[in-house]
Amino acid sequence: MKKILSIVIIVIALILLYLYAAPFKYLDKDNVTVFMWDHGFWAKCMDGAEYVSDGLMKDITTDGDYIYYITGGRKGKYGDTLHIFDLDNRAELKEIHMPDRMPWKIDSGDVDGDGKTDILVLMYKKTLFDPVLDNRPFVYTFDGHLYAKWLGSRLSHPMRGAYFWDVDGNGVDELVSLEYGRDGKRISGVYEWDSFGFVLKNVKEMGYFK
C-alpha cells in the first residue's frame, strides 16, 4: 500500500512539475475560457461549445465573440501573423500576415465606449519618423472588419509592455503601459482615448528594472 501511495505521489508531483514548466496559459474573459500552449489553443464557451486551433502561439486575447491571437513561424518572442477566430461560426475569420512588423503582444477592450472591440497589438518595428527598431503600440478596431484606429510611434517613454484595463471603473478601457523612465526607472503610465489618440492621464514610478 505504501509503495502504491509513493508511486501516486511521484506521478502527481511529475504532472505538477510539467504543468508548471510547460508554456501553458489560461485566459478567462467574457464567458470564454482559453487554454493556450505553444502550438495553438483550446477554447470553451459558457454554452459548452469547444474550439481548437493550431499554430505557433505567441499571445492571445478574446472579447467573447472572437479570439484574437498572434502566431509565428519561427522561434523567439516575435510573431508574424495576426488571426481572428469567430467563436459563433467556429472558424478562422481573418489571417493577416505582418512579418515586417513583428507583433508579440495582443489585448482587446473598448477605449471609447462605442461597443466595438479595440485591439491592442504591440509590435517591434521601425517607423517613418523614428527609423529604429523598438516596441510600438498599434490599436485597431474590429466590428467584422479590421480598421487601423491609432498607429502610435511611441508613448511618453520607451515601452516594455502595455495592455487595456478599465482603471477608473467607468466602463471604458484605458491603455496601461510599462515604460523605462529616467535613469532606468520603471514607470507605469495610464493613457485615455481623446478621439484622436491617447493622452497621458497619470504616471506612477515603480523603481528600477533588474
Side-chain angles (χ1 to χ4, degrees), residues 2-193:
K2 289 183 178 179
K3 185 177 181 180
I4 294 175
L5 182 60
S6 298
I7 292 173
V8 171
I9 292 174
I10 291 172
V11 170
I12 292 174
L14 289 173
I15 291 173
L16 291 175
L17 179 62
Y18 175 73
L19 290 175
Y20 177 79
F24 296 150
K25 176 181 176 182
Y26 281 102
L27 172 68
D28 291 286
K29 187 175 181 183
D30 295 323
N31 299 324
V32 179
T33 299
V34 178
F35 179 71
M36 164 186 151
W37 59 97
D38 264 356
H39 296 282
F41 72 83
W42 167 86
K44 185 173 183 179
C45 301
M46 288 295 288
D47 63 6
E50 297 182 4
Y51 315 95
V52 177
S53 182
D54 293 322
L56 188 61
M57 185 69 68
K58 299 297 180 182
D59 200 25
I60 192 169
T61 186
T62 176
D63 64 4
D65 297 314
Y66 301 93
I67 294 176
Y68 311 91
Y69 62 103
I70 296 168
T71 62
R74 58 185 181 274
K75 294 181 180 179
K77 180 178 180 180
Y78 305 110
D80 54 31
T81 306
L82 170 64
H83 304 262
I84 301 177
F85 189 89
D86 187 337
L87 286 167
D88 288 334
N89 295 313
R90 309 185 188 189
E92 184 172 81
L93 184 63
K94 288 185 179 295
E95 182 178 296
I96 305 159
H97 297 282
M98 47 180 66
D100 58 325
R101 285 173 272 179
M102 290 186 280
W104 58 277
K105 175 70 179 176
I106 190 166
D107 198 13
S108 58
D110 184 358
V111 300
D112 54 9
D114 65 355
K116 298 178 182 179
T117 297
D118 297 312
I119 307 167
L120 171 66
V121 184
L122 302 187
M123 302 180 184
Y124 185 68
K125 68 182 297 293
K126 300 176 181 179
T127 65
L128 180 62
F129 298 106
D130 188 15
V132 178
L133 283 173
D134 205 351
N135 294 323
R136 306 185 189 279
F138 285 12
V139 178
Y140 300 87
T141 296
F142 184 74
D143 60 359
H145 298 280
L146 192 68
Y147 305 96
K149 187 184 190 83
W150 186 71
L151 306 181
S153 176
R154 61 169 58 246
L155 299 175
S156 297
H157 300 87
M159 183 187 65
R160 187 186 184 192
Y163 56 92
F164 285 149
W165 184 37
D166 182 6
V167 176
D168 51 16
N170 66 349
V172 178
D173 291 300
E174 282 79 29
L175 173 64
V176 181
S177 67
L178 195 60
E179 305 171 23
Y180 291 99
R182 294 179 179 179
D183 301 324
K185 288 186 177 180
R186 185 172 57 180
I187 292 174
S188 176
V190 178
Y191 299 79
E192 61 183 0
W193 183 254

